Amino acid sequence: MTVSSPRSANPLANDGLIAALDIGGTKIAGALVDRDGVLVHRARRTTPARESADVLLCAVHEVLGALAASPLWKRVRAVGIGSAGPIDLAHGTVSPVNIPAWRNFPLIESVARHPAVSDRPVTLAGDAVAMTAAEHRHGAARGHKNALCLVVSTGVGAGLVLNGSVHHGLTGNAGHLGHISIDFDGETCPCGARGCLETIASGTAITRHALALGWQAPLAPLTADAAGVAAAARTGEAAAIAAFDRAARALAAGIAATAALIEIDIAVVGGGVAQSGEVFFEPLARHLRYYAAMPFLKELRVVPAELGPDAGLVGAAVLASAGTSPLATVLGHSSR
């Protein structure tokens, strides 16, 4: 395996493209992305999350193959991957919580071995870090030197921008806000800790709490999700409103704690729960005013993300075009 230094990674040329992958528990998305963050060609497969590691990799290779079949592929300069985590940049591996067959799976080397990748460098980042890179370059965190970007969906992921640069941390998992404990007596999280933010503020947690408070989803359980709770909250249903308020309060506490620690300029929130609109953002802003009480936090704002579901792909391309930690980038198979 040949390791590429970030100093050897040239900025994307005017006519260059990045092949980006966004790998999660439900879908494997791919795109060819230009320097302005525009997706010029797409491919997508359902993630066979309960299948073997080889079947999962085959699906990834199918997406790569679909991208490589485009006549635009000859303009591709590098490959960027945003993956569900945790990840391990030092070894180029991933262990997504919701993809059981991938434990310490050598994703970056496996992608680099695809015949179409050839000698193109391959870069890996966590999916929330990729989203952070996208929002910082092209979205709501643009122009901010210190930012927290969150993905609130079935889980809670986050990434940091520090001193104008995306911060990966030692292993690539810096900013993992979903797994800070904010309730000592809370329920046990799948990660093994108790009272994690994710157990309160995720879309799954919102739905579970609304049901516990008596909310009845139409045609339950088929529509028992955060979008259904949000729709009920808009009609004034008390259980639904209370579930969103609880989640927003927990998230506000986590954001405020992060801001007190590193003095972020802005908090950007995306993901499926953020699509709930004011049902979510009104209590979030209200609780943030309470928890961000120190004078130096008075300018802290929380805003919706701008790039939507394409943020992971755009961010993977941003990181691949710029170069990241030397331990996060390898060259394709023909260089070995």
Side-chain angles (χ1 to χ4, degrees):
M1 184 184 301
T2 303
V3 178
S4 171
S5 164
R7 293 183 177 88
S8 69
N10 297 321
L12 195 61
N14 288 338
D15 64 342
L17 298 173
I18 299 294
L21 297 173
D22 182 9
I23 301 174
T26 59
K27 60 91 173 57
I28 300 167
L32 302 183
V33 186
D34 71 14
R35 63 181 297 160
D36 296 320
V38 177
L39 279 57
V40 298
H41 182 66
R42 296 174 182 261
R44 181 181 173 123
R45 298 287 185 277
T46 300
T47 303
R50 300 298 167 182
E51 301 293 338
S52 69
D54 288 342
V55 171
L56 283 156
L57 180 60
C58 183
V60 173
H61 279 192
E62 286 177 1
V63 172
L64 271 172
L67 295 177
S70 166
L72 297 171
W73 183 262
K74 62 181 179 293
R75 293 167 51 191
V76 170
R77 302 290 180 260
V79 179
I81 309 169
S83 174
I87 68 170
D88 183 347
L89 291 186
H91 299 95
T93 60
V94 299
S95 302
V97 173
N98 51 3
I99 304 180
W102 276 4
R103 290 295 174 266
N104 299 314
F105 182 77
L107 179 60
I108 192 168
E109 185 174 4
S110 299
V111 167
R113 286 177 176 167
H114 189 283
V117 173
S118 187
D119 61 353
R120 297 171 174 90
V122 181
T123 300
L124 173 66
D127 51 2
V129 172
M131 176 267 191
T132 299
E135 290 291 337
H136 185 233
R137 176 70 63 84
H138 299 291
R142 188 171 55 250
H144 291 270
K145 295 188 67 175
N146 299 283
L148 172 69
C149 297
L150 301 103
V151 181
V152 184
S153 186
T154 53
V156 177
L160 294 167
V161 176
L162 300 179
N163 297 321
S165 298
V166 175
H167 181 65
H168 295 267
L170 294 175
T171 64
N173 298 288
H176 217 318
L177 195 66
H179 293 286
I180 65 168
S181 180
I182 62 170
D183 182 0
F184 295 154
D185 299 317
E187 64 184 271
T188 301
C189 178
C191 77
R194 182 177 290 276
C196 286
L197 177 61
E198 187 169 293
T199 66
I200 301 174
S202 69
T204 306
I206 290 170
T207 304
R208 186 170 60 246
H209 191 63
L211 290 168
L213 292 177
W215 173 64
Q216 295 184 344
L219 303 177
L222 296 181
T223 55
D225 57 19
V229 180
R234 293 188 196 99
T235 68
E237 186 162 340
I241 292 171
F244 266 97
D245 187 78
R246 176 176 179 263
R249 182 182 179 188
L251 198 63
I255 292 171
T258 304
L261 185 66
I262 58 176
E263 288 197 71
I264 57 173
D265 305 325
I266 194 169
V268 177
V269 186
V273 172
Q275 301 303 310
S276 303
E278 284 304 298
V279 165
F280 173 65
F281 279 99
E282 187 281 325
L284 179 58
R286 172 165 38 85
H287 287 300
L288 187 62
R289 288 193 296 272
Y290 174 78
Y291 286 107
M294 295 294 287
F296 66 88
L297 300 178
K298 66 180 181 180
E299 301 298 328
L300 177 63
R301 294 186 301 126
V302 58
V303 300
E306 293 182 359
L307 299 182
D310 290 335
L313 290 167
V314 174
V318 167
L319 294 170
S321 65
T324 59
S325 164
L327 297 179
T329 305
V330 302
L331 296 179
H333 73 284
S334 70
S335 67
R336 292 196 290 272

